[in-house]
């Protein structure tokens, strides 16, 4: 008897409703990824992480409320096992370095092909 692997639980934070909806829909198509929660504000993300204990957080670089860098730092302090993937339109090396220095696991540009998002998250 084989057992199916547990899905990757993901919380998503992006302050653009259309982007948030698109990411959520894209990930919902993957059998092995479960969207545990979504939000448009940084402080709400911290609550979602505490409530749902996801495996991974997909976080917009320009999130409203508590900024993304502060969110990463707080998540890393309270939930060290949660991987944080920064998602951003900017591919500026300064932004990438700031995210990684704060504790982000990876940095993914918003130019990624939607079909590649789930496989990229699986690799992370």
């Amino acid at each position: 008897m084989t057992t199916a692997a547990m899905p990757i639980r993901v919380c998503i934070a992006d302050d653009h409703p259309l982007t948030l909806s698109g990411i959520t829909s894209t990930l919902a198509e993957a059998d092995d990824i479960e969207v545990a929660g979504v939000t448009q504000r940084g402080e709400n993300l911290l609550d979602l992480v505490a409530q749902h204990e996801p495996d991974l957080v997909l976080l917009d670089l320009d999130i409203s409320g508590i900024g993304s860098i502060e969110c990463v730092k707080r998540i890393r302090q309270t939930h060290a096992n949660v991987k944080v993937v920064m998602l951003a339109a900017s591919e500026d090396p300064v932004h990438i370095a700031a995210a990684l220095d704060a504790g982000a696991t990876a940095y993914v540009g918003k130019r990624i092909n939607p079909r590649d998002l789930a496989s990229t998250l699986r690799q992370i």
Side-chain angles (χ1 to χ4, degrees):
M1 171 190 261
T2 60
T3 58
M6 296 294 296
I8 300 167
R9 295 176 44 79
V10 179
C11 285
I12 307 166
D14 194 302
D15 58 355
H16 293 96
L18 184 59
T19 303
L20 187 59
S21 177
I23 294 168
T24 301
S25 294
T26 297
L27 294 180
E29 293 175 6
D31 293 336
D32 60 342
I33 296 178
E34 174 188 336
V35 176
V38 298
T39 185
Q40 294 179 342
R41 299 193 52 83
E43 58 273 13
N44 296 347
L45 175 61
L46 301 174
D47 293 338
L48 283 177
V49 170
Q51 180 182 1
H52 296 288
E53 298 184 9
D55 301 302
L56 187 142
V57 169
L58 190 55
L59 173 60
D60 179 28
L61 177 66
D62 295 319
I63 193 75
S64 297
I66 297 172
S68 61
I69 299 300
E70 184 61 26
C71 282
V72 172
K73 290 177 183 177
R74 290 186 189 188
I75 291 168
R76 301 303 298 150
Q77 289 172 350
T78 59
H79 296 84
N81 59 328
V82 174
K83 295 177 181 175
V84 180
V85 177
M86 194 67 69
L87 184 64
S90 171
E91 294 181 18
D92 182 333
V94 172
H95 291 139
I96 295 170
L100 297 176
D101 288 347
T105 308
Y107 191 99
V108 175
K110 285 188 174 180
R111 293 182 186 205
I112 188 171
N113 185 317
R115 291 178 297 219
D116 296 335
L117 182 59
S119 64
T120 298
L121 297 183
R122 284 183 203 104
Q123 291 175 19
I124 294 168

